[in-house]
Amino acid sequence: MQEGIEELDFIGIAPETSEEGSPTVRVDHTRQETMIQGWSAFEKLVATISETTWTPGHAPGIPEGEIVNRIPARMVPILREACDVAERAGL
């Protein structure tokens, strides 16, 4: 395993996921992070976000090294569970 991801907890995969899609949520205890795997956002959406300030106090654009993922709404319970796992672990 790569350094820093020894304690990955699989939390869940999007319900009704086919072999061609796999939005997934994991909790990385070592790095104290929640990992969300999803589909890449549409280029038009990314361009729109890149040109606007959509959060007060946040510079316009998407910083280098960051991406925008699309996560299906049906994954809300899985995301909640990931937050609970991280909280219980004191992350």
Side-chain angles (χ1 to χ4, degrees):
M1 255 194 204
Q2 292 180 344
E3 184 177 334
I5 58 171
E6 291 82 17
E7 295 184 57
L8 270 183
D9 278 349
F10 169 80
I11 303 301
I13 192 166
E16 301 172 20
T17 294
S18 69
E19 291 180 13
E20 297 173 5
S22 58
T24 305
V25 178
R26 297 174 179 87
V27 172
D28 182 336
H29 292 266
T30 303
R31 296 181 68 144
Q32 299 185 346
E33 297 172 341
T34 300
M35 301 171 65
I36 302 173
Q37 174 185 330
W39 301 292
S40 177
F42 298 109
E43 288 182 33
K44 185 175 180 180
L45 172 63
V46 172
T48 300
I49 292 170
S50 294
E51 296 169 2
T52 63
T53 300
W54 55 294
T55 303
H58 187 277
I62 301 167
E64 187 175 327
E66 292 185 8
I67 61 170
V68 177
N69 283 328
R70 296 182 304 121
I71 305 298
R74 65 184 184 266
M75 290 187 68
V76 167
I78 295 167
L79 294 170
R80 284 189 186 121
E81 183 180 347
C83 291
D84 291 344
V85 167
E87 186 175 47
R88 282 192 301 268
L91 305 182

